[in-house]
Amino acid sequence: MPTAPHPQSTDELYQALRENDQRPYGRTRTVTAEELVDAAEQFAEPAALIHALLELQEAYTYGSEPRKSPVVFARLLTLFDEQPDVFDERLRHMLFWRFKWVAHALRQLPEIPLASLRQWLTEMRDRYEKAELGLQPYYGQAYQLAAHVGEDTTHAYELWAARTRTRLSDCEACEICERALYHLTTGDDERALRTWEPVLAGKESCQEEPTRSVSYALLPLLRTGRTDRARELHLAGYRGCRRNPSMAQEVGRHLEFCALTGNEARGLELLAENRSLFDEVDSPLDLLGFLTGVEVLLQRVELLGHGELPAAGYAGRTWTVAGLRAEVRSRADDLAARFDARNGTTAHTDRRRARLDRAPLLESLELTLRPRSLDDVAPAAPVTAPAARTAAAVPESLPELIARARALDEQGHPDAPACWARLRALVAARDYTHPDDPAVGPLVRLRADLLADEASRAGDKDEFAVAAGLYEEAAGLYDDAGLPGQAALARASALLASAEIPEQDAADATEAKAAALTAAHASMVRLHEETPGLAPYLEARLLRMRATALGLRLQTTGSAEHVAPVLAEVDLLHAFATRHDVVGQISGALLLRASTYALSGDLPAAVTGIDALLDRLKAHGPAWHLPRTLGLRGRLQLGLQDAQAAHADLTESLRLAADWPADAVDTARLHGDLAQACLYLGRPDEALRHLTRSADLDLRHGSRTDAFCTYSNAAQLSLDLGRVEDCIALLDSLLAEPDVTAGELDDRLVAQLRLTRARALHAGEDLKAATAEFVALAAESAGWDDDPGSHAMIAAETAVLLGESGEFGRAREAADQALAAHARDPRYEQLSNCLRELARLQGQQQGPDGLADALAFLADAGRVADEARAAGYEARGRSLDPALAYEHGRVNAYAGEYEDALAALEKALALLGEPGADQDHAEEWAECVRLAGAVEGLYLERPAPALARLDSAVARLTALGHTDETEPLTSLAARLRDEE
């Protein structure tokens, strides 16, 4: 089926070829190239056919279809022999360059006899000599064949490396890689890495580099102790080769790197991302390299005892690690044997065996901000992180286990959930027999206990509707068991959970939730009054829930009138718990009191209360309340802007929390709060570690929305820190999660993750990928009728990226979308910044031809500034009006309209006013002076007033202490004086 309209003229053909050249390599580009060759054959113009054939060969070469590339080249060579005059200098250069492509393609095909490979190199040499071209490229191919076959390469290497480069030599980056690989085969890692440095540092690059070199350099970097560099290059290099059939070998080496650094789980994740390569790679040599890397990974996973884990493999069936490894081993062994049979050596089998026999180079290397173990990717992965402490042993005797669970639950002890979990598994077994023991009670009671525990865990995950239903069911079973006290407590818990269910259709969600909590409290009070004879621990819990309901109402409304009722309930709880010595509820009451003071804004009183509680906990316990209490004091210290004290409290809280299960003391929140303290203290890297740890704990405990929100913050922080590859790797991992790909996670949260990733791609200078993601997000967000402001922001950023790509027509469309959304939910500063930047880009790229459209962008920016002024809006960054005037000056200067430019810059200076102590204002003012001086002195050729302007500005800035801002002005002044 045609992928595009059939060109009706050579002009249309050339346009179609240019458009296809912009597509990524792959089936779409290749099929289009094939169709364009068919189209070119209808025209009586050999040049058109030559261009189409060159495009097709390129598509085959970089689309990993080596069998087809030589066939196309044979047609080109025939055309050259028959009509050499049709080949201009450029086409002739491309033709001779591609002799190397054919040599490379033939090496990749084991069915091509070795004699044919040598015959092709002879053909290449003869053709180069006849055309009086230097032979360095020929010797380069001869060396690569010797290395491929496994012959002694010393002589071949010297014949190539010692010769002077020619116009047809491989690019510097590719030759550097070949020289480095030669040193690598001699065992000289250091020399190889020194040779590679210009490529690894980004000084030399091409279509395949530095991605190819990076994949080879990873293990030498580890062997020489450069682990941080290896980590950095793995993240950047993998992104350059993933899902690319022509770079399947590079993907395989990244999988091997993961396997040898304790990152087997990441390796399986990357394997899943590249599953398509099993079927898309047509090059046997590339497939051999890929499969060997896959086998290194699978072998390591199986060796660690995880052979039954699911693995992504060949399409059409599901695979385990062990099953896929056996399949891969068989196919890779066969490929290696075919190459060795063709070459008459054992080189490929030997190289494959060397990779498979290589021992791990590091026990563990943290590659990403989300390190994962094989246990994390197992289907039955534990839901809680391993605790540092050894939990109390769970009794083996069933009656003892039930008694232990209830006793711990009565205390609110963190080990109770482990007992309930064990009991839940036992009761669910088909052969379960309930003990006939009066102390244990009937089975219906135990089922009620398990339901109440399950409801509590659902509430901890904010699954309030589920929790409410489970509590109600538990209450009914407690009634059946003749336990009215437990039934009352379960019903009170159901009331509280129901009150926390968000109202979907409420006009005022805050008011609706406050009303629900008020009603729940009233019902709890009635329930309390109607249930006499409660055991002290049950009555204390009921009082605690009454106080909690009112505390949540205060938290919801923030109303001062809701403070006193909470404190009154807290006093009732404290008095009752003290009278009956219910230790856990005494500290609970004191914690609620301190929290109430904090919610009311009285932070000093809250700290005083917390200090008293800490003293009591240290003396009387319970010990497991200490981490939460210290955590609250840390948050209060943050509120009092004492980040150092907050950091100390939260650090100590985390130390103590290690003695208890993570979910019992909310370790995830402690890490999140500590991250905030670290940011206040200017320790962002430490903050990033705590954020990712917090998210990881939330994910383990099933709080996926909280986890993804925290991961989103971590990604943004890593981007702010300039750790672009860390940011992208983290987001790639998150966006590959099953509930994300299945569309089960909140779509706005996923959009935020994608937006951060798009910004990271832009920061990493991958403009094409960033623009594609922004365009997709802008299309999706256009349907967010409830949030037009976010669409305005996304569309504005999209417009800027399209402008950077030179696509100003599409940029205008995106800007218009942003303006339409802005009209519904204003984003003055973002829109002004976007429109000014679009004007700058169009002026810079198109000069006079783009002036009208650039000024149209600025006219829109002017209207936005007028709206902002009328609304009393104050920009957080640059003031909108001076920034707009400055951009008028710059755009007119790009177009050569220097008088208009100078007038606009004069207006900008007037709007800015004189500089003062503020650094940002002084910098903006100095830049405006600099550009005005350049326009006036250089382009309008009025050096005298320009120098007067510059000298005056330098004196003013120097007097104010802004010496850095004077440097561009003094430099320009010196240039003007030199030209006088």
Side-chain angles (χ1 to χ4, degrees):
M1 179 180 292
T3 60
H6 213 59
Q8 299 302 307
S9 66
T10 54
D11 287 343
E12 290 184 9
L13 174 70
Y14 285 123
Q15 178 60 33
L17 287 170
R18 284 191 292 271
E19 290 173 359
N20 201 39
D21 188 55
Q22 297 303 309
R23 292 189 175 98
Y25 296 110
R27 286 306 302 158
T28 300
R29 177 166 177 168
T30 300
V31 170
T32 303
E34 289 170 341
E35 293 169 355
L36 292 176
V37 168
D38 292 340
E41 290 175 330
Q42 72 179 323
F43 304 118
E45 292 191 26
L49 179 59
I50 291 167
H51 280 92
L53 288 169
L54 288 168
E55 164 62 24
L56 180 57
Q57 189 192 11
E58 182 176 345
Y60 285 148
T61 299
Y62 289 107
S64 190
E65 296 190 61
R67 289 180 173 85
K68 298 178 180 179
S69 173
V71 177
V72 177
F73 189 76
R75 291 189 65 184
L76 284 165
L77 206 54
T78 299
L79 284 167
F80 177 73
D81 290 338
E82 293 174 351
Q83 304 177 67
D85 293 343
V86 177
F87 287 75
D88 59 20
E89 182 59 31
R90 176 175 169 275
L91 292 177
R92 183 174 178 274
H93 178 85
M94 292 176 71
L95 180 81
F96 280 95
W97 181 278
R98 294 187 182 196
F99 273 90
K100 298 179 294 181
W101 285 13
V102 175
H104 176 70
L106 296 177
R107 287 197 301 272
Q108 295 182 76
L109 305 172
E111 64 267 29
I112 303 298
L114 183 61
S116 296
L117 271 68
R118 300 194 189 283
Q119 183 180 347
W120 177 253
L121 289 183
T122 301
E123 173 80 5
M124 177 181 175
R125 177 172 184 149
D126 291 345
R127 293 268 187 173
Y128 271 51
E129 286 179 332
K130 183 178 179 181
E132 298 182 348
L133 299 170
L135 292 181
Q136 195 261 11
Y138 157 76
Y139 283 109
Q141 292 302 310
Y143 160 68
Q144 290 181 41
L145 178 59
H148 167 81
V149 169
E151 300 170 342
D152 182 359
T153 58
T154 305
H155 182 62
Y157 176 79
E158 291 300 329
L159 282 174
W160 162 61
R163 288 181 178 266
T164 303
R165 285 172 48 78
T166 74
R167 289 179 60 246
L168 289 168
S169 296
D170 284 345
C171 73
E172 286 279 7
C174 287
E175 290 206 344
I176 285 172
C177 184
E178 291 300 334
R179 289 196 293 272
L181 288 175
Y182 173 77
H183 298 311
L184 201 60
T185 58
T186 67
D188 194 341
D189 285 345
E190 288 289 355
R191 187 171 181 184
L193 290 171
R194 285 197 303 273
T195 303
W196 257 318
E197 188 52 34
V199 174
L200 300 183
K203 296 176 182 176
E204 298 289 346
S205 63
C206 69
Q207 177 73 36
E208 298 175 331
E209 296 292 352
T211 304
R212 180 168 176 252
S213 289
V214 163
S215 71
Y216 279 113
L218 294 174
L219 299 188
L221 286 167
L222 291 180
R223 289 194 292 261
T224 56
R226 300 171 172 90
T227 54
D228 287 344
R229 185 89 162 107
R231 173 187 178 278
E232 169 195 336
L233 289 174
H234 162 69
L235 294 178
Y238 170 70
R239 187 160 59 85
C241 64
R242 65 178 186 169
R243 298 196 297 267
N244 185 344
S246 70
M247 306 206 88
Q249 291 203 65
E250 284 74 9
V251 172
R253 285 189 282 273
H254 281 279
L255 296 178
E256 180 179 2
F257 175 75
C258 290
L260 300 180
T261 56
N263 287 279
E264 298 85 5
R266 174 168 169 80
L268 291 177
E269 185 179 292
L270 302 190
L271 178 60
E273 189 176 17
N274 291 277
R275 183 174 193 167
S276 61
L277 297 186
F278 284 106
D279 301 307
E280 289 182 359
V281 178
D282 191 53
S283 160
L285 188 61
D286 286 347
L287 188 60
L288 173 60
F290 172 65
L291 292 179
T292 301
V294 171
E295 188 179 350
V296 171
L297 170 66
L298 298 176
Q299 174 181 268
R300 180 64 184 160
V301 174
E302 191 172 0
L303 185 65
L304 292 172
H306 292 275
E308 295 309 308
L309 278 178
Y314 294 92
R317 60 165 285 189
T318 58
W319 296 92
T320 63
V321 165
L324 181 60
R325 180 192 171 199
E327 181 71 18
V328 165
R329 180 173 60 241
S330 173
R331 297 192 187 210
D333 281 346
D334 178 65
L335 283 170
R338 289 173 61 199
F339 277 109
D340 286 344
R342 190 270 300 274
N343 297 335
T345 65
T346 61
H348 287 275
T349 298
D350 293 344
R351 290 167 190 164
R352 187 172 133 68
R353 177 50 48 199
R355 290 177 70 181
L356 290 167
D357 289 345
R358 189 174 283 133
L361 297 174
L362 289 174
E363 183 177 336
S364 176
L365 173 63
E366 192 170 300
L367 291 180
T368 71
L369 295 172
R370 192 191 177 199
R372 306 174 77 198
S373 70
L374 289 171
D375 287 332
D376 294 324
V377 298
V383 297
T384 56
R389 108 193 216 278
T390 302
V394 175
E396 290 296 326
S397 160
L398 188 56
E400 289 179 6
L401 177 58
I402 295 172
R404 174 76 171 156
R406 287 171 178 160
L408 292 174
D409 192 67
E410 182 178 324
Q411 300 171 42
H413 197 288
D415 284 338
C419 293
W420 291 127
R422 173 66 178 149
L423 281 168
R424 184 173 289 104
L426 292 172
V427 172
R430 298 179 65 180
D431 59 350
Y432 176 75
T433 302
H434 193 67
D436 184 11
D437 185 341
V440 170
L443 176 58
V444 67
R445 178 186 176 184
L446 180 56
R447 292 194 184 282
D449 291 337
L450 294 174
L451 281 172
D453 174 67
E454 189 178 348
S456 175
R457 289 186 291 112
D460 289 342
K461 297 176 186 177
D462 294 343
E463 298 171 357
F464 299 117
V466 174
L470 291 169
Y471 276 127
E472 286 289 358
E473 189 178 351
L477 294 180
Y478 279 129
D479 283 335
D480 294 342
L483 297 167
Q486 279 89 343
L489 187 65
R491 288 194 172 92
S493 300
L495 286 168
L496 187 58
S498 296
E500 292 206 73
I501 299 173
E503 290 284 348
Q504 299 296 329
D505 302 321
D508 187 335
T510 298
E511 184 178 334
K513 184 173 182 180
L517 288 164
T518 300
H521 175 262
S523 297
M524 287 181 199
V525 172
R526 285 195 301 273
L527 187 63
H528 192 176
E529 293 169 349
E530 294 166 359
T531 314
L534 286 168
Y537 86 92
L538 290 174
E539 189 160 1
R541 281 195 178 182
L542 195 48
L543 286 167
R544 174 75 173 270
M545 272 190 279
R546 286 168 50 172
T548 299
L550 295 184
L552 288 170
R553 183 179 68 176
L554 171 61
Q555 187 177 29
T556 300
T557 66
S559 172
E561 68 183 58
H562 289 154
V563 175
V566 184
L567 293 175
E569 284 283 12
V570 168
D571 289 343
L572 282 176
L573 170 62
H574 186 260
F576 180 88
T578 302
R579 187 163 62 251
H580 293 278
D581 196 28
V582 185
V583 176
Q585 297 299 352
I586 294 173
S587 68
L590 294 173
L591 191 63
L592 272 171
R593 182 180 290 158
S595 299
T596 302
Y597 285 134
L599 288 170
S600 69
D602 191 349
L603 297 186
V607 171
T608 300
I610 286 292
D611 288 343
L613 174 56
L614 286 169
D615 290 339
R616 175 180 173 81
L617 289 173
K618 291 170 184 175
H620 305 289
W624 58 87
H625 282 198
L626 271 169
R628 282 184 182 272
T629 306
L630 274 168
L632 177 56
R633 188 167 75 173
R635 289 192 290 278
L636 294 174
Q637 299 289 10
L638 282 174
L640 291 168
Q641 299 186 342
D642 190 345
Q644 194 65 56
H647 188 276
D649 281 340
L650 291 164
T651 301
E652 176 64 9
S653 177
L654 271 179
R655 187 186 70 79
L656 295 174
D659 288 337
W660 308 102
D663 53 346
V665 292
D666 201 358
T667 307
R669 179 167 186 178
L670 294 176
H671 278 288
D673 291 335
L674 194 49
Q676 187 178 357
C678 291
L679 287 174
Y680 281 130
L681 292 171
R683 290 145 70 169
D685 289 305
E686 185 181 344
L688 189 56
R689 288 195 298 274
H690 286 297
L691 279 175
T692 53
R693 182 61 178 147
S694 174
D696 179 57
L697 288 168
D698 274 334
L699 206 58
R700 289 172 184 269
H701 302 148
S703 302
R704 298 189 69 80
T705 298
D706 290 341
F708 277 89
C709 286
T710 305
Y711 272 131
S712 178
N713 292 335
Q716 184 60 56
L717 177 57
S718 64
L719 181 56
D720 293 341
L721 292 173
R723 295 172 61 173
V724 173
E725 296 301 338
D726 279 322
C727 176
I728 295 172
L730 172 61
L731 292 168
D732 283 345
S733 176
L734 296 174
L735 292 168
E737 283 286 310
D739 52 351
V740 176
T741 56
E744 297 168 1
L745 196 68
D746 179 77
D747 62 337
R748 304 298 169 85
L749 178 51
V750 173
Q752 181 58 58
L753 296 173
R754 291 172 56 200
L755 181 61
T756 304
R757 182 178 181 274
R759 288 168 175 162
L761 288 169
H762 187 217
E765 299 182 355
D766 192 343
L767 182 58
K768 191 172 185 178
T771 303
E773 186 67 276
F774 263 111
V775 168
L777 282 167
E780 290 176 27
S781 61
W784 296 354
D785 293 334
D786 60 329
D787 188 12
S790 291
H791 174 57
M793 177 193 71
I794 293 171
E797 289 191 61
T798 304
V800 171
L801 265 69
L802 288 167
E804 288 184 23
S805 303
E807 298 185 59
F808 290 105
R810 295 177 67 196
R812 179 71 258 183
E813 292 173 5
D816 288 342
Q817 287 182 31
L819 285 165
H822 158 81
R824 297 170 56 201
D825 186 4
R827 292 290 189 271
Y828 302 110
E829 192 162 2
Q830 290 94 331
L831 263 292
S832 177
N833 292 345
C834 155
L835 294 163
R836 297 196 318 269
E837 178 63 7
L838 284 169
R840 181 193 72 79
L841 288 167
Q842 191 148 21
Q844 184 181 50
Q845 293 181 30
Q846 297 182 347
D849 293 340
L851 179 59
D853 289 338
L855 291 177
F857 282 128
L858 292 180
D860 287 334
R863 284 187 284 274
V864 170
D866 292 341
E867 294 167 7
R869 198 181 315 108
Y873 176 82
E874 290 189 14
R876 285 175 293 180
R878 297 172 66 190
S879 180
L880 302 188
D881 289 315
L884 178 60
Y886 171 82
E887 212 57 66
H888 268 286
R890 183 155 58 174
V891 165
N892 275 292
Y894 284 141
E897 300 293 336
Y898 300 120
E899 292 290 359
D900 289 343
L902 185 58
L905 293 167
E906 295 280 12
K907 179 181 178 182
L909 286 167
L911 289 168
L912 282 171
E914 294 299 315
D918 183 79
Q919 183 76 22
D920 292 337
H921 181 261
E923 186 176 340
E924 185 177 359
W925 183 85
E927 166 55 22
C928 206
V929 170
R930 184 202 65 78
L931 185 54
V935 169
E936 190 171 30
L938 296 175
Y939 301 112
L940 291 174
E941 298 180 353
R942 302 171 191 162
L947 283 168
R949 181 195 304 274
L950 294 168
D951 291 342
S952 174
V954 167
R956 190 167 301 148
L957 291 169
T958 302
L960 291 167
H962 299 300
T963 53
D964 289 344
E965 284 67 29
T966 65
E967 292 180 9
L969 306 184
T970 55
S971 175
L972 176 58
R975 179 182 172 185
L976 288 173
R977 287 190 171 92
D978 288 343
E979 293 181 4
E980 277 188 308

